[in-house]
Amino acid sequence: MLYSARVFLTATGIALISSSANVSAAPLEFRYGFDVFSQRTTSLHALQSLTMTYDLGSGFYIGETLFSAAGGDAGGLFTAGFEIAKRFKLGNSLDLEFGAFVGGGGGANVVTSGDGLMTRTHATLIKQITPNWAATLGLSYIKISGTSISTPALGFGISRTLDMKVGGGHDLSFGNSVTGDISIAALKPFVRVYYPRNNLKRSGVPLKNMYIVGAEMSFHNARTDRGETFLSAATAMAGDGAGYGEYQFGYRWFTGNTGARAFAQLAAGFAGGGGVDTGGGLIATAGIGAVVPISDRFSAEFGVTGIKSFQGDFAAISPYIRGAITLGKRSAPHGSNPTRWQISTGFAQQVEHTGYRVPASTRSGSPVLVETTIDLFFNDHLYFTGNAQSAVLGDAGAYAVGQIGVGYEIPISDRWTISPELYVGAAAGAGINTGGGLVAGGKLELDYSLRKNLKVSFGAGKMLSKGGAKPVTLHIGLKIPFTSYN
């Protein structure tokens, strides 16, 4: 489940569809929000959200939002989807925003039937505090299919605009013309083990060791030498806690700029699912580690963190190893380190078959999931890929998939390309019989370029699991090539 990177990069990619300039400092906005329900009909009493939107001009904004449980006893509920908004100026530092969200998800036994489709409409006042920071206050209406949640909510939050150095398409020739303080530092896939500290699951049985897979996106500021901000997302792939997921935002301090060095980090976020008792979902982590360079672009990071939920019975020690794919050097001039990316956003369907759901399940259907994929190119053809999916149709509310893997893009004409991919990851929820969460598989995509920074994509593949779920998968969506400059 790679929603943290998904939220950031999907908004970046959408931004570049409409960009008329080749390279710019993209006006992205990052918002943390909190919605408190006026009607409490389930164990979920409030939602927190992470939103990344792009300013399309004329007061229109588009992007993506991730919601998670934040009040009550529903840690582990996650939903993600698309956001669109329109703003009106009320004064020099005050805006009124009307917006809508459509997405899906579930977890923590809140979505017990149906599709898990979530809609949210809102009216929000935005008060500018500084040129980059703003506070928000508003009213929303939230409805989640498969639950009794259909309620007004009071919302408040804080937002910050970011200037990211990006360009549409895969033209790498712009060099030092690129401006903007914030840039992507590295992509870091990781694996780790959670050793619980005598914790009980929500069912009352002891929580055993969990094996976690995930990825992290780190960012650095041109004015900062020895630190980086990071967003990470992870999910259980083996051991106990199938269906557990977490998302963190934090900061890391290094003892040096380059080479072998140590670091310390602090982070906070939200987690739960798989029976893990995180209470309302809020968590905090702290840790130490070391960086071991392997080449100019690759390094390994080793360390250990401690994790603790603010509520619920969850605390663990977690050793880990990360692979860091560095995208630029701090000593290099701005814009001298271009990196090719590609975003896919659309829908995936898993075709139901005999054994697809656990025998006790009363649900049926072929789930449709909202999906977003992030591709990082190592050269003209080979790329690393990360994919996140959440169910919105097909009687599979609370079903989610997260995958990482490799792909190879092969041009077959000026506009057509094919891309075989292999992946490994985790999937769980809604009675889908994945046998503990670990999944693997592959797919073949056929893409047609509408223009240099927009493709339409069709795909088909096969997902394998340790359980009975081995569905054929069908995919349709848009691909958005772009370039970041470090």
Side-chain angles (χ1 to χ4, degrees):
M1 290 157 56
L2 307 174
Y3 290 120
S4 59
R6 164 183 174 165
V7 168
F8 165 72
L9 283 173
T10 299
T12 304
I14 291 171
L16 294 168
I17 293 178
S18 61
S19 175
S20 58
N22 287 327
V23 179
S24 66
L28 302 174
E29 182 177 280
F30 177 86
R31 181 184 298 180
Y32 173 79
F34 203 89
D35 286 279
V36 181
F37 297 173
S38 65
Q39 300 174 11
R40 299 178 176 181
T41 58
T42 70
S43 59
L44 179 65
H45 299 166
L47 287 168
Q48 59 186 336
S49 60
L50 294 171
T51 301
M52 183 68 78
T53 55
Y54 174 75
D55 184 357
L56 294 172
S58 301
F60 287 98
Y61 289 75
I62 191 168
E64 193 163 324
T65 298
L66 167 68
F67 288 94
S68 73
D73 189 21
L77 178 133
F78 299 104
T79 61
F82 307 107
E83 188 93 27
I84 188 167
K86 167 67 175 175
R87 295 183 189 175
F88 300 89
K89 281 285 184 184
L90 300 182
N92 291 334
S93 61
L94 185 65
D95 291 352
L96 175 61
E97 177 181 275
F98 295 99
F101 164 90
V102 177
N109 292 322
V110 175
V111 180
T112 57
S113 63
D115 301 326
L117 178 68
M118 173 178 165
T119 58
R120 176 183 180 268
T121 55
H122 74 271
T124 301
L125 289 171
I126 303 172
K127 173 64 177 178
Q128 208 70 33
I129 301 172
T130 71
N132 290 326
W133 290 92
T136 67
L137 177 66
L139 295 173
S140 63
Y141 195 90
I142 297 169
K143 182 176 177 61
I144 303 178
S145 171
T147 76
S148 58
I149 297 171
S150 182
T151 178
L154 175 66
F156 52 92
I158 191 166
S159 65
R160 189 187 191 281
T161 55
L162 302 174
D163 285 339
M164 297 295 302
K165 301 186 290 292
V166 293
H170 284 164
D171 190 339
L172 309 182
S173 63
F174 300 108
N176 294 329
S177 64
V178 186
T179 61
D181 285 337
I182 306 296
S183 60
I184 306 170
L187 179 67
K188 303 181 180 182
F190 60 79
V191 292
R192 62 174 178 253
V193 184
Y194 276 167
Y195 295 107
R197 310 304 294 167
N198 299 316
N199 304 131
L200 297 179
K201 300 176 73 171
R202 290 183 184 271
S203 62
V205 302
L207 177 63
K208 300 178 182 179
N209 295 347
M210 298 192 298
Y211 299 88
I212 305 295
V213 63
E216 174 186 299
M217 190 79 71
S218 65
F219 311 87
H220 64 66
N221 191 298
R223 295 165 290 183
T224 302
D225 292 329
R226 293 189 178 182
E228 65 182 17
T229 304
F230 64 89
L231 290 164
S232 73
T235 188
M237 68 171 180
D240 209 356
Y244 172 86
E246 67 175 43
Y247 306 86
Q248 297 185 46
F249 176 76
Y251 194 82
R252 187 172 294 125
W253 296 265
F254 294 96
T255 57
N257 293 336
T258 59
R261 57 201 189 276
F263 62 82
Q265 65 182 52
L266 293 173
F270 32 99
V276 180
D277 184 8
T278 56
L282 294 173
I283 59 169
T285 67
I288 56 174
V291 179
V292 179
I294 297 174
S295 68
D296 288 342
R297 289 200 65 188
F298 299 95
S299 60
E301 297 181 0
F302 305 88
V304 61
T305 60
I307 180 172
K308 180 72 173 69
S309 61
F310 286 88
Q311 301 169 304
D313 183 25
F314 180 56
I317 299 296
S318 176
Y320 62 84
I321 180 172
R322 284 194 297 260
I325 306 168
T326 303
L327 305 185
K329 297 180 179 179
R330 296 177 190 273
S331 59
H334 285 307
S336 61
N337 291 286
T339 301
R340 292 174 55 190
W341 301 83
Q342 189 164 252
I343 288 295
S344 306
T345 185
F347 297 94
Q349 183 174 50
Q350 296 188 0
V351 180
E352 187 179 40
H353 58 84
T354 301
Y356 178 68
R357 310 227 185 194
V358 297
S361 177
T362 58
R363 299 188 181 192
S364 64
S366 296
V368 175
L369 303 97
V370 174
E371 73 169 337
T372 299
T373 303
I374 305 164
D375 300 331
L376 166 62
F377 282 79
F378 300 114
N379 55 38
D380 288 345
H381 304 285
L382 182 66
Y383 58 88
F384 169 88
T385 184
N387 173 273
Q389 304 176 29
S390 57
V392 293
L393 294 172
D395 200 13
Y399 180 50
V401 181
Q403 303 162 154
I404 57 176
V406 294
Y408 197 85
E409 186 177 79
I410 306 169
I412 54 178
S413 73
D414 289 342
R415 289 184 176 268
W416 291 95
T417 59
I418 57 173
S419 303
E421 295 181 356
L422 295 174
Y423 62 81
V424 65
I432 309 300
N433 189 12
T434 57
L438 180 65
V439 298
K443 63 179 177 178
L444 183 67
E445 295 183 325
L446 178 65
D447 306 332
Y448 178 77
S449 295
L450 300 173
R451 55 193 191 208
K452 74 173 186 177
N453 57 356
L454 182 62
K455 305 175 183 178
V456 60
S457 179
F458 308 91
K462 181 78 170 179
M463 187 184 85
L464 303 174
S465 72
K466 293 191 297 182
K470 296 174 173 59
V472 170
T473 64
L474 305 173
H475 309 261
I476 185 170
L478 297 174
K479 283 190 175 180
I480 307 154
F482 71 99
T483 303
S484 69
Y485 297 82
N486 305 79

